[in-house]
């Protein structure tokens, strides 16, 4: 009897059920989309902020002081001990290796050109590396997406170079010209504008700089761009003075400090420091944006809950006559209430799943349109959203059912209320 | 006419005040809608300036360098400040290479340390110098200086000067290899004038780019450059957040509008008896429509105002809690919110009325 009533209610009142269903679907969809975007936005903006460049630098511990004023290297750093180029791929093998978005090694060298001494900076442009079974490529193209190259990027294996824009205009060089570096003739494949010291340098493949510096396998500094978590009080603690458990937790959190610590383990005898300008400021921006989106997700959840419970309440209040009829036929209040609540629960379940799928689609659209990448949806969201939908629909119905049950059936059936 | 008008007003008043909690429900629903819309729009408009302000903490976004070993004109700071207004931070830098007592070369920078503190808030400094002969020492420079008892000596072109260490500086980049001293001490010691201005101009990427052009005309022949990496990041983050906020605002507005619409529509449908009675005792369709529309309009206006106040308060609270800075109530949002409310209320009233018109009043009164 109960099941038949339930079935008939869905079969006969299709318009009303459809309206309530649409409300639940939309509410759940909006809540799902906002939560998914809100949860994922930290990661998305973090990647966006990483386009600023490196946030960790690794350099040899006893490297001499660099004496550099503005763009000009006054005195090249005396060759101290170098880092080893052959160790570079192991960066990907460290605990937070997957959070390393890009890195590039740098080696300073000096060369004599036709127009006097020039400073040469050796680096990776987009070098293919292999660690274990993993192939990846890294270099300044990924690390500094804002470097503007007029012409083409050189390859890492060839002997083509980039020439800084100021140096190029001083020496009257253009793309395609060749330039003599201490007897080594190289071709200019592009003119580089960065707004920094590189504008006065020649950027060459690392191997070329190593030949010029007579330092095989050598690297001066490594700039690393890593996805990190904003720094908090725990991140600033000294790992040497922690308890074993704290140290493990610190080591396994992607703080700039702990990633730097792991880099130090990869390069024994090196120092690894967070570049405070990048790491400190992006922390602030990230926490502001995530906090804001969290609050907005909560607001959208509230709005959706309100919309759904209002829609449920109205559909039930429209059915006062039905309630009156059941009461006058002798149905008890709990029997009526359980019928209506079951209806609401069924609706919430069906429309909730539909809404979750729709919300996923909306979140993906936002992700594709704004960030050109998909938004990660945690599967935990599905039971959570369905539970919330059930809660809100049933809560919205219960208040209305109680109100409908309080009315006198005689008055309701006469149409006086 | 005047009698007609006064009856109309009376019925309108009774409809609004003397009919239990039905107008109240409509008012609450519309207020919630306008609150959400106001809060989202205020946050949307305020977010950009908040983010732009956040990006200023990265430090300079424009540099002005004197060309080829020369120094900047003496009034350069004032000229830059005059061009950019009081909000901009302008910091002069002068560079010299001095020798330590161990005869190592080291870069000494003369600057306005109070302004640097404002410009580069991310510098980690144990103690900022407060006196003329105090110096800030980069973390990597420290062991080359042979600091004894907080004192060390530097030599520039045969002129010795002793300094007192105020604090150590950690940044993770080239600043760590240098010694920073107050500009007037530096000028008296070396005779070198500032050759670089680091400027933090306020505003969006577009405004900063405009400021670069402005500075180029103020400093002809000098090297004015935007800090490209900062502007690139700022531009992309701000524009992406703008799109995300717009999408969220639209989604939330759609949800609350839908909720309000369904509530209002059913509250009008429930009054089909009033409608039928009015028609039955001879009022014209236009009068009935005007009456329902007037009711909806009054409620919408009140709800719009109340929602505007509430929504502004919520936006102010959110930005206070999140950005530690208020979003001021924006008057530009008010007409938009009221318009949205009125359109919503009128639509929600007119659609069911159009449906009721097609039914005979007698049918409605009989309860069909």
């Amino acid at each position: 009897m109960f099941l038949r009533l339930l079935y008939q209610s869905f079969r006969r009142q299709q318009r009303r059920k459809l309206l309530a269903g649409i409300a639940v679907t939309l509410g759940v969809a909006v809540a799902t989309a906002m939560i998914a975007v809100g949860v994922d936005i930290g990661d998305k903006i973090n990647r966006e902020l990483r386009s600023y460049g490196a946030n960790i630098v690794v350099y040899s511990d006893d490297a001499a002081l660099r004496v550099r004023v503005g763009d000009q290297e006054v005195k090249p750093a005396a060759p101290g001990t170098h880092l080893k180029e052959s160790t570079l791929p192991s960066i990907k093998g460290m605990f937070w290796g997957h959070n390393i978005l890009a890195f590039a090694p740098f080696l300073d060298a000096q060369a004599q050109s036709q127009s006097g001494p020039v400073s040469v900076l050796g680096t990776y442009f987009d070098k293919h590396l292999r660690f274990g079974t993993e192939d990846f490529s890294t270099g300044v193209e990924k690390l500094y997406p804002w470097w503007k190259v007029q012409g083409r990027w050189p390859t890492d294996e060839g002997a083509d170079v980039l020439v800084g824009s100021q140096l190029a205009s001083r020496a009257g060089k253009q793309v395609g010209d060749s330039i003599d570096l201490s007897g080594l003739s190289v071709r200019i494949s592009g003119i580089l504008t960065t707004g920094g010291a590189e504008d006065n340098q020649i950027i060459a493949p690392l191997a070329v700089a190593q030949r010029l510096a007579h330092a095989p396998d050598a690297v001066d500094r490594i700039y690393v761009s890593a996805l990190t978590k904003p720094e908090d009080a725990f991140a600033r603690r000294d790992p040497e003075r922690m308890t074993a458990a704290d140290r493990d937790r610190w080591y396994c959190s992607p703080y700039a400090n702990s990633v730097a610590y792991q880099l130090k383990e990869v390069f024994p005898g090196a120092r690894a420091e967070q570049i405070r300008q990048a790491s400190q400021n992006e922390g602030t921006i990230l926490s502001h944006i995530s906090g804001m989106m969290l609050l907005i997700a909560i607001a959208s959840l509230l709005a959706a809950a309100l919309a759904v419970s209002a829609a449920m309440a109205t559909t039930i209040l429209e059915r006062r006559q039905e309630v009156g009829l059941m009461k006058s036929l002798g149905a008890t209040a709990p029997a009526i209430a359980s019928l209506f609540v079951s209806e609401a629960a069924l609706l919430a379940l069906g429309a909730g799943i539909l809404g979750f799928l729709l919300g996923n689609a909306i979140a993906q659209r936002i992700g594709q349109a704004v960030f050109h990448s998909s938004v990660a949806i945690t599967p935990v969201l599905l039971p959570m959203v369905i539970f919330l939908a059930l809660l809100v629909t049933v809560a919205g119905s219960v208040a209305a059912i109680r109100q409908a049950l309080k009315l006198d059936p005689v008055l309701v059936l006469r149409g006086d209320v | 006419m005047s009698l007609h008008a006064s009856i109309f007003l009376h019925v309108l008043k009774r409809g609004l005040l003397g009919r239990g909690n039905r107008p109240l429900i409509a008012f609450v629903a519309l207020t919630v809608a306008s609150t959400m819309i106001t809060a989202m729009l205020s946050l949307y408009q305020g977010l950009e300036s908040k983010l732009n302000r956040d990006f200023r903490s990265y430090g300079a976004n424009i540099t002005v360098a004197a060309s080829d070993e020369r120094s900047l004109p003496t009034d350069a700071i004032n000229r830059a400040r005059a061009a950019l207004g009081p909000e901009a931070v302008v910091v002069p830098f002068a560079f010299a290479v001095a020798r330590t007592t161990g005869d190592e070369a080291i870069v000494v920078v003369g600057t306005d340390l109070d302004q640097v503190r404002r410009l580069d808030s991310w510098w980690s400094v144990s103690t900022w110098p407060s006196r003329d002969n105090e110096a800030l020492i980069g973390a990597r420079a420290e062991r080359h200086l042979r600091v004894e008892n907080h004192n060390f000596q530097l030599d520039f072109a045969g002129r010795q000067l002793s300094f007192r260490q105020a604090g150590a500086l950690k940044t993770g980049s080239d600043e760590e290899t240098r010694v920073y001293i107050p500009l007037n001490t530096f000028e008296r010691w070396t005779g070198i004038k500032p050759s670089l201005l680091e400027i933090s101009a306020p505003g969006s990427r577009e405004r900063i780019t405009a400021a670069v052009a402005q500075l180029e005309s103020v400093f002809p022949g000098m090297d004015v450059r935007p800090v490209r990496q900062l502007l690139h990041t700022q531009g992309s983050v701000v524009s992406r957040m703008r799109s995300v906020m717009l999408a969220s605002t639209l989604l939330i507005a759609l949800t609350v509008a839908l909720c309000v619409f369904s509530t209002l529509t059913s509250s009008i449908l429930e009054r089909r008896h009033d409608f039928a009675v009015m028609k039955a005792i001879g009022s014209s369709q236009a009068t009935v429509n005007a009456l329902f529309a007037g009711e909806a309009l009054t409620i919408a206006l009140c709800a719009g105002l109340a929602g505007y106040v509430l929504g502004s308060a919520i936006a102010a609270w959110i930005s206070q809690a999140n950005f530690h800075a208020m979003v001021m109530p924006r008057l530009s949002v008010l007409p938009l919110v009221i318009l949205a409310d009125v359109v919503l209320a009128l639509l929600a009233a007119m659609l069911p009325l159009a449906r009721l018109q097609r039914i005979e009043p007698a049918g409605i009164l009989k309860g069909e």
Side-chain angles (χ1 to χ4, degrees):
Chain A
M1 176 70 183
F2 179 80
L3 285 181
R4 211 166 81 208
L5 272 174
L6 204 60
Y7 170 69
Q8 292 295 342
S9 155
F10 273 90
R11 206 173 72 93
R12 303 256 164 123
Q13 299 181 332
Q14 283 178 352
R15 187 193 69 89
R16 211 170 265 161
K17 288 289 180 298
L18 194 70
L19 277 181
I22 288 174
V24 178
T25 308
L26 268 178
V28 170
V30 168
T32 308
M34 290 310 301
I35 292 173
V37 171
V39 166
D40 210 33
I41 193 132
D43 187 57
K44 291 274 182 289
I45 293 291
N46 203 345
R47 277 168 200 276
E48 213 57 51
L49 284 167
R50 293 302 335 120
S51 72
Y52 181 78
N55 53 0
I56 296 171
V57 58
V58 186
Y59 55 92
S60 158
D61 194 16
D62 49 14
L65 274 189
R66 297 181 62 169
V67 184
R68 183 169 172 175
V69 178
D71 295 350
Q72 307 290 331
E73 198 92 22
V74 176
K75 183 205 82 171
T81 44
H82 292 291
L83 303 172
K84 283 192 169 58
E85 187 195 350
S86 45
T87 322
L88 285 174
S90 342
I91 289 179
K92 277 280 176 184
M94 50 183 240
F95 186 82
W96 283 109
H98 283 286
N99 277 31
I100 308 286
L101 296 179
F103 62 84
F106 291 97
L107 177 68
D108 293 312
Q110 294 295 313
Q112 288 296 326
S113 72
Q114 297 98 322
S115 50
V118 289
S119 140
V120 177
L121 185 64
T123 188
Y124 287 166
F125 295 106
D126 192 22
K127 175 100 166 169
H128 287 279
L129 293 173
R130 168 181 273 269
F131 179 76
T133 53
E134 191 186 356
D135 277 308
F136 61 99
S137 68
T138 185
V140 285
E141 276 184 63
K142 283 209 176 68
L143 189 65
Y144 301 119
W146 43 272
W147 275 20
K148 205 164 74 187
V149 172
Q150 179 211 332
R152 275 188 315 103
W153 284 91
T155 58
D156 286 292
E157 288 71 31
D160 290 358
V161 297
L162 293 178
V163 175
S165 55
Q166 295 200 333
L167 181 65
S169 68
R170 252 205 328 271
K173 294 286 184 190
Q174 277 165 355
V175 177
D177 292 355
S178 49
I179 193 167
D180 186 69
L181 297 176
S182 304
L184 183 72
S185 178
V186 294
R187 208 176 64 89
I188 300 170
S189 79
I191 306 288
L192 173 72
T193 313
T194 68
E198 297 82 8
D199 285 358
N200 274 312
Q201 289 178 314
I202 288 178
I203 318 295
L206 187 61
V208 172
Q210 284 171 346
R211 263 174 69 189
L212 290 170
H214 307 293
D217 200 31
V219 166
D220 276 336
R221 311 173 289 289
I222 305 161
Y223 281 93
V224 180
S225 168
L227 280 181
T228 58
K229 193 170 143 182
E231 191 174 272
D232 49 29
F234 182 59
R236 269 176 236 122
R237 283 176 55 188
D238 182 2
E240 309 301 336
R241 269 182 249 148
M242 287 180 193
T243 61
D246 273 357
R247 195 175 168 284
D248 281 350
R249 189 156 74 84
W250 183 84
Y251 194 87
C252 299
S253 306
Y255 294 122
N257 281 343
S258 44
V259 176
Y261 185 86
Q262 289 161 13
L263 280 165
K264 225 178 307 180
E265 293 177 335
V266 176
F267 298 96
R271 286 175 70 91
E273 302 274 353
Q274 56 165 315
I275 298 174
R276 292 183 59 87
Q277 184 173 24
S279 56
Q280 296 293 308
N281 293 313
E282 73 188 27
T284 328
I285 292 174
L286 259 184
S287 59
H288 281 174
I289 287 179
S290 317
M292 172 103 168
M293 284 309 289
L294 187 75
L295 288 170
I296 290 177
I298 292 176
S300 71
L301 209 63
L302 269 169
L306 218 77
V308 169
S309 54
M312 288 311 293
T314 9
T315 49
I316 288 181
L317 282 179
E318 280 180 5
R319 291 166 65 189
R320 274 173 306 201
Q321 296 202 326
E322 222 175 300
V323 175
L325 187 64
M326 288 186 203
K327 267 178 91 174
S328 58
L329 288 174
T332 59
I336 299 174
S338 63
L339 178 69
F340 276 75
V341 167
S342 313
E343 269 185 38
L346 263 179
L347 203 67
L349 207 64
I353 289 172
L354 208 65
F356 178 77
L357 294 177
L358 184 66
N360 254 337
I362 295 176
Q364 295 309 336
R365 272 247 6 100
I366 293 180
Q368 287 298 342
V370 180
F371 297 103
H372 309 294
S373 64
S374 58
V375 171
I377 307 270
T378 37
V380 178
L381 205 54
L382 177 66
M384 203 178 95
V385 163
I386 298 292
F387 174 73
L388 278 177
L390 276 172
L391 196 75
V392 167
T393 353
V394 171
S397 319
V398 165
I401 293 168
R402 284 181 55 163
Q403 210 187 331
L405 282 173
K406 260 189 275 171
L407 300 171
D408 188 341
V410 180
L411 292 178
V412 173
L413 289 175
R414 248 175 52 195
D416 281 358
V417 181
Chain B
M1 184 60 210
S2 77
L3 181 71
H4 193 154
S6 86
I7 289 177
F8 182 85
L9 282 180
H10 180 75
V11 176
L12 187 62
K13 204 174 105 191
R14 296 290 302 163
L16 285 169
L17 299 176
R19 300 188 35 91
N21 57 6
R22 223 167 260 154
L24 190 70
I25 289 174
F27 174 76
V28 168
L30 276 170
T31 306
V32 168
S34 47
T35 303
M36 295 297 292
I37 294 173
T38 307
M40 287 304 293
L41 281 178
S42 306
L43 284 176
Y44 172 65
Q45 293 189 353
L47 178 74
E48 217 170 310
S49 63
K50 294 281 171 300
L51 282 180
N52 283 330
R53 204 194 55 174
D54 275 355
F55 272 101
R56 281 189 78 190
S57 63
Y58 270 89
N61 44 32
I62 304 174
T63 60
V64 179
S67 39
D68 301 329
E69 315 278 314
R70 268 175 299 177
S71 52
L72 294 163
T74 42
D75 60 343
I77 304 174
N78 291 331
R79 266 156 67 185
R81 285 213 179 105
L84 297 176
E87 263 189 280
V89 182
V90 182
V91 189
F93 287 93
F95 299 90
V97 181
R99 321 262 345 153
T100 64
T101 37
D103 204 32
E104 280 184 87
I106 191 163
V107 176
V108 181
V109 185
T111 184
D112 183 340
L113 288 161
D114 289 335
Q115 293 293 319
V116 169
R117 202 172 171 174
R118 271 180 73 197
L119 182 75
D120 296 320
S121 50
W122 45 272
W123 281 19
S124 159
V125 172
S126 48
T127 323
W128 283 89
S130 52
R131 268 172 300 177
D132 277 354
N133 67 337
E134 285 190 327
L136 199 57
I137 304 176
R140 274 188 258 174
E142 199 167 346
R143 58 185 163 152
H144 298 268
L145 283 171
R146 305 191 180 178
V147 182
E148 273 170 36
N149 212 355
H150 291 295
N151 288 306
F152 63 95
Q153 282 209 325
L154 286 175
D155 173 296
F156 177 80
R159 271 166 291 175
Q160 305 259 328
L161 200 62
S162 66
F163 295 94
R164 198 180 152 68
Q165 174 178 20
L169 166 68
K170 274 185 82 96
T171 65
S173 26
D174 277 347
E175 295 89 357
E176 283 191 355
T177 63
R178 300 173 182 163
V179 174
Y180 285 79
I181 61 174
L183 186 59
N184 45 21
T185 312
F186 181 91
E187 285 183 6
R188 255 184 281 123
W189 179 39
T190 61
I192 296 174
K193 299 279 178 209
S195 58
L196 175 73
L197 288 185
E198 288 199 358
I199 298 171
S200 161
S204 63
R205 180 186 186 169
E206 291 71 32
R207 231 181 111 189
I208 296 167
T209 315
V212 171
Q214 208 179 346
L215 286 171
E216 270 169 350
S217 66
V218 175
F219 297 109
M222 271 171 245
D223 190 11
V224 181
R225 289 191 214 166
V227 178
R228 291 195 52 228
Q229 69 186 117
L230 182 54
L231 292 192
H232 173 90
T233 314
Q234 178 174 358
S236 71
V237 168
V238 170
S239 76
R240 265 144 226 248
M241 276 316 288
R242 198 191 297 143
S243 318
V244 168
M245 278 298 287
L246 188 66
S248 332
T249 308
L250 286 178
L251 277 180
I252 291 182
L254 186 78
T255 326
V256 286
L258 214 81
C259 140
V260 168
F261 190 75
S262 72
T263 312
L264 291 189
T265 308
S266 72
S267 99
I268 298 266
L269 276 178
E270 287 195 354
R271 291 171 62 193
R272 51 186 182 266
H273 285 223
D274 302 13
F275 176 86
V277 169
M278 282 181 210
K279 288 279 293 272
I281 61 177
S283 50
S284 72
Q285 185 63 48
T287 319
V288 177
N289 280 351
L291 198 63
F292 276 85
E295 223 181 281
L297 208 67
T298 319
I299 294 176
L301 281 177
C302 296
L305 273 175
Y308 173 74
V309 173
L310 267 176
S312 297
I314 289 178
W317 177 77
I318 286 185
S319 59
Q320 180 70 53
N322 195 35
F323 289 99
H324 307 290
M326 291 279 259
V327 163
M328 282 301 139
R330 281 164 192 274
L331 272 180
S332 57
V333 173
L334 183 60
L336 224 85
V337 168
I338 291 197
L339 185 76
D341 257 18
V342 167
V343 169
L344 203 59
L346 284 183
L347 261 181
M350 284 307 148
L351 285 184
L353 277 184
R355 232 171 81 199
L356 289 180
Q357 269 172 34
R358 275 180 268 133
I359 310 171
E360 280 293 305
I364 298 176
L365 287 175
K366 256 165 59 193
E368 283 169 5

